[in-house]
């Protein structure tokens, strides 16, 4: 579904990615784990068209997307819930959710999807006319995911959804991510590319995993296999 | 009492003009975070465009429009709409040619470019083949009838139409910004361009739209100004510079980047200027306006409706 091939990205003189390649198959959860500054967010930014790769190519369902502006990539169905959540704190929760559906014009279907999103996150229903800036960190993360879902993503990009959240809320968020990925009728069968520092949680729900270190992929394989490997356990899971 | 009512009328008239122009400054600042110094020159183009078109229509229909024999009402409406479309196109072109290539450049570069655009418009406007360097007067597009008299204060057609047009445009803008999808996109881009683009908002199109909208309001401002004063100065005339500066002060006083703030700021500056003139010294009109700018910047730098911004460290 998504093919990232030998992508390099530079910010000025600093090279953030050196030839990263990864593949996401339809229906999977693929996770990209690594330390702070390894280039995880940059990879997602490149896929969303926010930064242009200096080399390499990105294809979504066979279409080259690396030269497309971000809003057209969203129209193809590649939707990102950005790191730090990127909530519009000058608007209400409802306006934030509706902005997620910016690319759509089918009013009834949008209303139905808003209803579905609020079933998924009942907390948002309680806060619907509140200013989004007044939400707690966990609620903001829920809002960011709900907003991304409003675009009816075919590929959902999640950037550090657990960042700065209490363990219990992290559990809730991961449970929802798994539900979203579950095939119908239980879930929406959404394909997900999950960037995480919390390697333990990420490897637990993913099908396939990539390890990114200083701008390059150093390991990859089925998530369970990586979770069992000595190197990953030592470096990312706190094992000995 | 008469003095008060007369002053209130003048304050509303000039205040709503300031507000119309301030909206353009504030919308562009809200989205691109720079002061578009060429904005006041678009106001001038609105005034001169109205003049040229109405003179042409006058010649074309073989009539002379004076205060006693003004043009029919639809002519005024036509001139207003044409000036708005013309300035909308000018605003679009300015953004495309001068500001868009600098999207990733430091803000100072854009600011200096804006000053350049402003000088360009002021000086080319004075060419003999364009508007020339002498003031000219616009034909009378409205009857100067007295509609109501309160005490010794006469409320004329011109007063009502002027204030009515400005208020109608502001109500329309308020609706557009707060109740439409495009308005929501504008507020999203103003808050965070990157996140807005991740929602599928075409950022460049929203920016163009904002310039067109601001320039159309500027055109209406120029048109109303020329109706009010009839004599319009050459494109680099001090009266224009002062009008632009005062509208800019109105935007800052109201809270730059805030649409409702610009409206409030415009009325506040207009009232201050007019009441100051009427009750103290009229020679100090400019002092009141720029004095209050200093006071606001010192004690409430976010403006009347602006929020105090927290600098994160």
């Amino acid at each position: 579904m998504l093919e990232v091939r030998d992508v390099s990205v530079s910010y000025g003189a600093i090279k953030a990615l050196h030839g990263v390649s990864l593949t996401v198959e339809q229906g999977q959860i693929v996770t990209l784990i690594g330390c702070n500054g390894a280039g995880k967010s940059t990879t997602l930014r490149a896929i969303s068209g926010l930064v242009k790769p200096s080399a390499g190519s990105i294809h979504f369902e066979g279409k080259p997307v690396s030269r497309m502006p971000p809003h057209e990539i969203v129209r193809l169905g590649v939707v990102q819930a950005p790191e730090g959540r990127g909530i519009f704190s000058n608007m209400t929760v409802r306006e934030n959710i509706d902005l997620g559906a910016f690319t759509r014009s089918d009013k009834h279907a949008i209303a139905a999807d808003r209803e579905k999103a609020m079933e998924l996150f009942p907390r948002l229903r309680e806060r619907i006319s509140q200013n989004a800036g007044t939400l707690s960190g966990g609620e903001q993360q829920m809002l960011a995911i709900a907003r991304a879902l409003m675009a009816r993503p075919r590929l959902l990009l999640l950037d550090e959804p657990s960042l700065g959240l209490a363990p219990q809320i992290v559990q809730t968020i991961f449970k929802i991510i798994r539900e979203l990925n579950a095939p119908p009728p239980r879930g929406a069968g959404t394909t997900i590319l999950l960037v995480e520092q919390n390697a333990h949680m990420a490897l637990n729900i993913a099908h396939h995993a990539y390890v990114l270190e200083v701008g390059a992929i150093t390991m990859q394989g089925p998530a369970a296999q990586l979770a069992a490997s000595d190197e990953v356990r030592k470096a990312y899971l706190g094992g000995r | 009492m008469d003095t008060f009512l007369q002053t209130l009328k003048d304050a509303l008239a000039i205040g709503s003009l300031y507000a119309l122009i301030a909206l353009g400054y504030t919308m562009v600042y809200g989205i691109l975070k720079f002061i578009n110094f060429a904005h006041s020159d678009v106001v001038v183009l609105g005034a001169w465009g109205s003049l040229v078109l109405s003179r042409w229509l006058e010649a074309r229909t073989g009539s002379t429009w004076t205060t006693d024999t003004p043009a029919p009402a639809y002519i005024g409406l036509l001139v207003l709409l044409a000036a708005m479309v013309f300035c909308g196109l000018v605003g679009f072109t300015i953004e495309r040619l001068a500001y868009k290539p600098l999207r990733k450049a430091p803000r100072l570069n854009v600011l200096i470019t804006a000053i350049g655009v402003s000088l360009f418009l002021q000086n080319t406007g004075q060419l003999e083949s364009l508007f020339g360097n002498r003031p000219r007067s616009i034909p009378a597009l409205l009857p100067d009838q007295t509609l109501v008299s309160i005490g010794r204060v006469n409320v004329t057609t011109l007063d009502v139409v002027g204030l009515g047009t400005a208020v109608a445009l502001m109500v329309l803008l308020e609706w557009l910004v707060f109740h439409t999808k495009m308005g929501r996109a504008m507020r999203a881009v103003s808050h965070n361009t990157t996140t807005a683009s991740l929602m599928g908002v075409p950022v460049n199109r929203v920016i163009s739209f904002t310039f067109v909208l601001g320039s159309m309001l500027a055109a209406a401002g120029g048109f109303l100004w020329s109706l009010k004063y009839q004599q319009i100065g050459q494109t680099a005339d001090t009266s224009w510079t002062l009008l632009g500066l005062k509208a800019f002060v109105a935007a800052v006083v109201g809270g730059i980047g805030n649409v409702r703030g610009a409206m409030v700021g415009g009325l506040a500056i207009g009232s201050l200027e007019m009441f100051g003139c009427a009750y103290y010294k009229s020679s100090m009109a400019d002092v009141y306006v720029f004095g209050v700018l200093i006071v606001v910047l010192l004690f409430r730098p976010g403006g009347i409706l602006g929020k105090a911004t927290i600098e994160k460290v």
Side-chain angles (χ1 to χ4, degrees):
Chain A
M1 189 178 215
L2 180 79
E3 274 278 347
V4 176
R5 243 176 277 144
D6 297 321
V7 163
S8 298
V9 172
S10 305
Y11 296 114
I14 302 151
K15 212 165 180 192
L17 296 182
H18 322 257
V20 166
S21 297
L22 61 88
T23 311
V24 180
E25 301 288 351
Q26 176 130 28
Q28 283 193 332
I29 299 182
V30 173
T31 186
L32 184 60
I33 58 175
C35 305
N36 236 338
K40 305 188 299 293
S41 293
T42 302
T43 309
L44 289 195
R45 289 171 66 85
I47 296 170
S48 280
L50 295 174
V51 290
K52 302 293 168 213
S54 53
S57 67
I58 302 171
H59 286 79
F60 179 67
E61 298 191 318
K63 262 188 226 118
V65 297
S66 52
R67 297 273 165 256
M68 274 190 193
H71 67 269
E72 278 174 28
I73 295 176
V74 174
R75 279 181 190 275
L76 291 180
V78 181
V79 184
Q80 181 177 165
E83 187 185 5
R85 304 152 199 138
I87 292 303
F88 296 107
S89 56
N90 56 342
M91 299 186 203
T92 63
V93 170
R94 193 202 166 95
E95 285 181 307
N96 267 276
I97 291 179
D98 287 354
L99 254 171
F102 186 83
T103 51
R104 302 166 53 190
S105 48
D106 43 346
K107 276 200 176 131
H108 295 290
I110 291 174
D113 281 3
R114 193 192 301 127
E115 196 52 37
K116 252 191 260 168
M118 286 185 299
E119 265 162 40
L120 206 56
F121 301 103
R123 291 288 278 282
L124 296 182
R125 192 194 299 277
E126 294 164 28
R127 310 237 184 277
I128 192 79
S129 34
Q130 222 166 294
N131 207 304
T134 64
L135 299 185
S136 73
E139 289 163 348
Q140 289 194 9
Q141 187 58 59
M142 292 176 192
L143 178 55
I145 296 175
R147 189 179 59 180
L149 292 178
M150 291 302 288
R152 290 213 171 153
R154 319 217 5 242
L155 171 62
L156 179 62
L157 310 174
L158 296 174
D159 197 354
E160 305 264 14
S162 77
L163 194 75
L165 300 184
Q168 208 184 346
I169 297 165
V170 174
Q171 293 281 355
T172 315
I173 301 250
F174 272 79
K175 202 174 131 241
I176 285 167
I177 294 174
R178 205 195 292 243
E179 267 173 42
L180 287 174
N181 173 255
R186 200 159 68 81
T190 310
T191 311
I192 295 170
L193 175 56
L194 169 69
V195 154
E196 259 303 338
Q197 273 192 68
N198 188 335
H200 181 74
M201 295 291 290
L203 290 174
N204 206 358
I205 66 165
H207 302 101
H208 202 88
Y210 290 85
V211 177
L212 194 61
E213 281 173 11
V214 270
I217 302 282
T218 51
M219 265 183 282
Q220 61 152 312
Q225 197 182 315
L226 244 67
S229 84
D230 281 348
E231 290 133 280
V232 171
R233 284 177 45 170
K234 250 187 230 155
Y236 299 103
L237 301 175
R240 264 166 289 170
Chain B
M1 191 60 192
D2 283 348
T3 320
F4 176 78
L5 284 178
Q6 179 65 44
T7 313
L8 184 67
K9 195 188 87 174
D10 292 343
L12 285 175
I14 196 76
S16 58
L17 258 179
Y18 289 157
L20 274 184
I21 303 167
L23 282 165
Y25 281 111
T26 228
M27 284 196 294
V28 166
Y29 183 86
I31 284 187
L32 291 178
K33 303 286 178 287
F34 88 99
I35 306 297
N36 179 16
F37 279 112
H39 186 61
S40 62
D41 302 293
V42 178
V43 177
V44 181
L45 281 180
W48 276 96
S50 305
L51 184 144
V52 170
L53 180 64
S54 40
R55 281 270 174 243
W56 183 79
L57 286 171
E58 198 181 27
R60 200 56 207 252
T61 54
S63 35
T64 328
W65 294 327
T66 61
T67 337
D68 299 324
T69 55
Y74 70 88
I75 294 281
L77 186 66
L78 183 79
V79 171
L80 170 65
L81 292 179
M84 286 174 76
V85 170
F86 168 64
C87 286
L89 286 173
V90 170
F92 177 83
T93 314
I94 292 176
E95 196 278 325
R96 233 343 118 77
L97 296 183
Y99 303 146
K100 194 177 173 216
L102 296 175
R103 200 77 88 221
K104 292 201 166 78
R107 237 165 276 154
L108 187 64
N109 300 20
V110 195
L111 200 75
I112 293 167
T113 306
I115 295 172
V117 173
S118 171
L119 289 174
F120 173 79
L121 292 177
Q122 286 182 12
N123 290 296
T124 44
Q126 290 181 66
L127 291 174
E128 275 315 313
S129 51
L130 277 168
F131 311 130
N133 58 5
R134 277 172 300 277
R136 285 178 68 188
S137 59
I138 191 165
L141 297 177
L142 276 177
D144 202 11
Q145 261 164 7
T146 301
L147 297 175
V148 218
S149 296
I150 309 165
R152 273 181 296 148
V153 180
N154 296 333
V155 179
T156 65
T157 332
L158 196 75
D159 296 327
V160 173
V161 171
L163 187 61
T165 310
V167 170
L169 287 172
M170 283 189 265
V171 169
L172 205 66
L173 182 81
E174 166 88 11
W175 170 79
L176 201 149
V177 171
F178 291 98
H179 298 281
T180 66
K181 198 170 168 181
M182 192 60 178
R184 204 186 291 140
M186 284 169 69
R187 284 181 293 143
V189 172
S190 143
H191 189 261
N192 187 330
T193 314
T194 312
T195 316
S197 68
L198 287 179
M199 303 295 111
V201 173
V203 173
N204 281 328
R205 214 172 307 156
V206 171
I207 293 174
S208 289
F209 182 81
T210 307
F211 268 88
V212 170
L213 209 60
S215 305
M216 287 174 88
L217 295 178
F223 170 82
L224 294 176
W225 171 276
S226 58
L227 281 196
K228 195 167 155 54
Y229 297 103
Q230 274 130 30
Q231 272 291 338
I232 49 180
Q234 46 102 337
T235 48
D237 195 84
T238 339
S239 60
W240 295 125
T241 319
L242 265 180
L243 174 65
L245 276 177
K246 284 177 187 170
F248 172 59
V249 171
V252 174
V253 166
I256 190 111
N258 185 321
V259 168
R260 286 169 185 159
M263 302 183 194
V264 173
L267 290 175
I269 292 298
S271 308
L272 180 81
E273 188 180 3
M274 288 303 156
F275 280 98
C277 289
Y279 288 95
Y280 188 56
K281 276 185 187 157
S282 59
S283 57
M284 284 172 69
D286 301 342
V287 178
Y288 308 135
V289 174
F290 298 110
V292 84
L293 175 66
I294 295 173
V295 174
V296 165
L297 287 180
L298 277 178
F299 296 105
R300 206 179 153 79
I304 301 173
L305 293 189
K307 269 179 259 161
T309 45
I310 300 148
E311 194 95 355
K312 277 191 189 139
V313 255

